[in-house]
Amino acid sequence: MTSTRTTARRAVRYGPALAALALVLTTPTLTAPARADSGPGAPADTRPPVKLDADDPDLRMPEGARLAAGRVLDIKSVVETDDGDERREDTNTKVSFALQAEVLFGKDSAKLGAEANARIQDIADEAKRQHAKSVRVFGFTDNLGSAAHGLELSRKRADAVQQRLADSLDSSVAYQIRGYGEQYPIADNATEEGRKKNRRVEVSFPRGA
């Protein structure tokens, strides 16, 4: 009788605690396993990586196929003066210069001004360093005036720059000269600032030919 009463008292005393412990041990977890990128202090995911089957036909190239030849991506570097009157672009294959018309010519003129010679000479010196054998000289205008006048003026300005380049470069250098007028604008012709950028002469040649 005494043993039965003792057991009953112990059940009353420890019953709630044992029930709580059983609840903790038997309740399934609802939290997903922590990943390595779950946040600072989170345990890393230690599951083994997925195994790949090296013999899987989907991982093989078709018979007779070959990988494309490796190549260096074309990286462009652009440097522009603070006032925007000159811009230089360098890529793995080409060097390009863009000079605003006001730097080279008077208004509506194709006659080179006093500052033009030094600017064009710098371009010629770079062409020599790159051993350029061909040079492109393209002229552009804004959209003011007639399209025909813009084409003529841009061509005359390109001719003037080419002739100045030819004074410094070897006679074997070949030239491509174009006047595009208002075509290919690089800025908005609705503002004077944009039109000023569009009035330009571009000179380009291959890098390290």
Side-chain angles (χ1 to χ4, degrees):
M1 178 67 71
T2 303
S3 176
T4 302
R5 290 177 179 175
T6 301
T7 301
R9 285 197 297 269
R10 287 177 179 174
V12 171
R13 180 182 302 176
Y14 299 111
L18 292 173
L21 179 60
L23 180 63
V24 171
L25 294 176
T26 59
T27 302
T29 178
L30 300 179
T31 305
R35 298 280 182 162
D37 57 352
S38 297
D45 183 0
T46 58
R47 292 177 298 180
V50 177
K51 292 184 178 181
L52 296 178
D53 182 2
D55 296 324
D56 189 333
D58 291 335
L59 299 179
R60 295 182 177 181
M61 294 179 61
E63 186 175 354
R66 295 184 179 182
L67 292 173
R71 66 185 182 89
V72 178
L73 295 178
D74 199 15
I75 300 174
K76 179 184 290 187
S77 169
V78 180
V79 178
E80 189 173 29
T81 56
D82 292 337
D83 52 11
D85 62 4
E86 182 174 343
R87 185 181 74 254
R88 172 174 174 160
E89 295 184 4
D90 288 81
T91 71
N92 298 338
T93 59
K94 186 174 68 172
V95 181
S96 302
F97 292 87
L99 294 173
Q100 288 185 0
E102 281 79 353
V103 177
L104 303 174
F105 310 98
K107 184 177 181 179
D108 202 30
S109 171
K111 183 178 180 181
L112 292 171
E115 189 179 353
N117 288 333
R119 296 295 185 100
I120 298 173
Q121 184 61 51
D122 289 341
I123 297 175
D125 291 341
E126 182 61 30
K128 290 178 182 178
R129 283 190 289 270
Q130 299 299 334
H131 306 288
K133 299 301 181 184
S134 63
V135 177
R136 292 183 174 184
V137 186
F138 297 160
F140 305 86
T141 64
D142 57 29
N143 65 347
L144 298 181
S146 69
H149 177 69
L151 284 172
E152 181 182 6
L153 179 61
S154 63
R155 174 58 191 247
K156 287 182 177 179
R157 286 177 168 176
D159 283 336
V161 172
Q162 182 273 326
Q163 291 171 14
R164 178 63 187 82
L165 286 169
D167 292 339
S168 297
L169 298 180
D170 189 90
S171 59
S172 63
V173 174
Y175 296 91
Q176 296 182 43
I177 310 168
R178 301 283 190 277
Y180 288 104
E182 63 188 57
Q183 300 178 68
Y184 308 108
I186 59 174
D188 188 356
N189 272 313
T191 66
E192 175 54 29
E193 181 181 1
R195 290 191 292 270
K196 183 178 179 181
K197 291 183 178 181
N198 291 332
R199 298 189 295 264
R200 68 196 189 279
V201 175
E202 296 184 358
V203 180
S204 62
F205 40 85
R207 172 178 292 280

